[in-house]
Amino acid sequence: MPVSDLERDTCSIARTVALLGDRWMLVIIRQAFAGIRRFEQLQSTLGISSALLSDRLARLVAAGVLDKHPYVDARRTRHEYRLTDRGMQLYPVLQALRVWGDEHLAPDGPFMLYTHRGCGGVAQVELTCGDCGDALTARDILPLPGPGMPPGGPIALSGTRS
Amino acid sequence: MPVSDLERDTCSIARTVALLGDRWMLVIIRQAFAGIRRFEQLQSTLGISSALLSDRLARLVAAGVLDKHPYVDARRTRHEYRLTDRGMQLYPVLQALRVWGDEHLAPDGPFMLYTHRGCGGVAQVELTCGDCGDALTARDILPLPGPGMPPGGPIALSGTRS
């Protein structure tokens, strides 16, 4: 199935995965959050080819996740890539990946602690109910069609209505 | 840079992305949460080749995210793939992707509402402080080295200490 089918899937998980489900996209966004925003910095810290990096940056700019800004360095105009508001809103995705990795892929404990500047506590990701505030797991969730669902029901990943 | 470098990166985001940063891994996990766990069901709903699906399922089993269970159908033994506890803990990652997609990739509103079976409220993902409980954004976070960080400091993605 081509990526374009996933992009049209009637599921916000599938659409987001179609956009970001590539190891480079997410680590480039991680670098942007860490203040590593210039093409040369990204290339040297990621060990990625110039062509691959250009491609992924162009996709992230087209998706409105990063904005391209010129700056002058040694009299040459270069570019840096800053997170837009839309990009900033991806922080919970990175933190949810981090929480899982800390638990399952970091046998000696977390590499980094993401602490609250206010009180020094460690950040956590919680799935909660927007009404009653209860902490939720997958077992507590009942998926129901939302306002964006087409009248004929969901269009499955394979392109047929399920 | 080969994937194996990302897997060894001293960052739980990079390690998790190395494992799951592929569009198929995350949609297969999504299907498992939706109760679509049999090879044939996965193949028909995802429109994925048998070879690609086998490869991704084997990787998810090796990573301890899915467990392979035999079942008998028309006198033939087949297999289904169930989420392990470790796999169940990926639910906040999917929900964080869903929240962002609902906001930015679903112009007519959410396709699905993930409601709380208890009270009917809609599930939300929150980044909060584990100590004081404040809601946090990226701007509120100060990253500090954790117990799993090697003494010489972080090993950058390019394999050199940064």
Side-chain angles (χ1 to χ4, degrees):
Chain A
M1 179 174 59
V3 176
S4 56
D5 284 359
L6 270 186
E7 286 170 355
R8 286 194 304 267
D9 194 89
T10 47
C11 166
S12 291
I13 301 169
R15 289 190 180 197
T16 310
V17 168
L19 177 64
L20 302 176
D22 165 295
R23 67 189 80 259
W24 292 119
M25 299 295 259
L26 286 161
V27 292
I28 290 168
I29 294 165
R30 186 200 68 156
Q31 299 299 75
F33 275 109
I36 298 169
R37 301 184 182 122
R38 298 184 170 186
F39 191 95
E40 290 72 20
Q41 289 177 313
L42 285 165
Q43 204 185 350
S44 65
T45 55
L46 295 176
I48 182 177
S49 78
S50 173
L52 208 53
L53 180 57
S54 292
D55 172 78
R56 296 307 190 274
L57 287 171
R59 283 204 232 167
L60 288 167
V61 170
V65 169
L66 297 178
D67 254 349
K68 189 174 176 177
H69 294 267
Y71 71 95
V72 176
D73 179 29
R75 296 193 188 171
R76 284 182 55 192
T77 299
R78 295 170 183 267
H79 291 93
E80 65 177 18
Y81 295 83
R82 296 184 202 153
L83 288 158
T84 61
D85 286 347
R86 173 182 275 220
M88 291 290 287
Q89 290 169 25
L90 282 166
Y91 199 64
V93 173
L94 295 192
Q95 286 293 318
L97 291 163
R98 187 271 301 170
V99 166
W100 193 86
D102 278 352
E103 180 72 22
H104 299 292
L105 305 176
D108 298 325
F111 304 106
M112 297 296 290
L113 298 173
Y114 292 82
T115 66
H116 178 197
R117 287 183 192 277
C119 80
V122 174
Q124 59 183 12
V125 175
E126 290 186 301
L127 187 68
T128 59
C129 175
D131 281 3
C132 73
D134 274 8
L136 305 177
T137 70
R139 296 185 207 282
D140 301 312
I141 300 288
L142 177 66
L144 294 174
M149 184 62 74
I155 298 168
L157 285 167
S158 58
T160 54
R161 289 185 188 275
S162 64
Chain B
M1 179 174 60
V3 176
S4 56
D5 283 359
L6 269 185
E7 285 169 355
R8 287 195 304 268
D9 195 89
T10 46
C11 166
S12 290
I13 301 169
R15 288 189 180 199
T16 310
V17 168
L19 177 64
L20 302 176
D22 165 295
R23 66 190 79 259
W24 292 118
M25 301 294 258
L26 286 161
V27 293
I28 290 167
I29 294 165
R30 187 200 68 156
Q31 299 300 75
F33 275 110
I36 298 168
R37 301 184 180 122
R38 297 183 170 188
F39 191 93
E40 292 72 19
Q41 290 176 311
L42 285 165
Q43 203 184 351
S44 65
T45 55
L46 295 176
I48 181 176
S49 77
S50 173
L52 208 53
L53 179 58
S54 292
D55 172 79
R56 296 307 189 274
L57 287 171
R59 283 204 230 166
L60 288 167
V61 169
V65 169
L66 297 178
D67 254 350
K68 189 174 177 177
H69 294 268
Y71 70 97
V72 176
D73 178 28
R75 297 191 187 172
R76 284 182 55 193
T77 298
R78 297 170 183 267
H79 291 92
E80 63 177 19
Y81 296 83
R82 296 185 202 152
L83 289 158
T84 61
D85 287 346
R86 174 183 275 219
M88 292 289 288
Q89 289 168 27
L90 281 166
Y91 200 63
V93 173
L94 294 192
Q95 287 293 318
L97 290 164
R98 187 270 302 170
V99 167
W100 193 85
D102 278 352
E103 180 73 22
H104 300 293
L105 304 175
D108 299 325
F111 303 106
M112 296 297 289
L113 299 174
Y114 292 82
T115 66
H116 178 198
R117 288 183 192 276
C119 81
V122 174
Q124 59 183 11
V125 175
E126 291 185 302
L127 186 69
T128 58
C129 174
D131 280 3
C132 72
D134 275 7
L136 305 177
T137 70
R139 297 185 206 282
D140 301 312
I141 301 287
L142 177 67
L144 295 174
M149 185 61 74
I155 298 168
L157 286 167
S158 59
T160 53
R161 289 188 187 272
S162 61

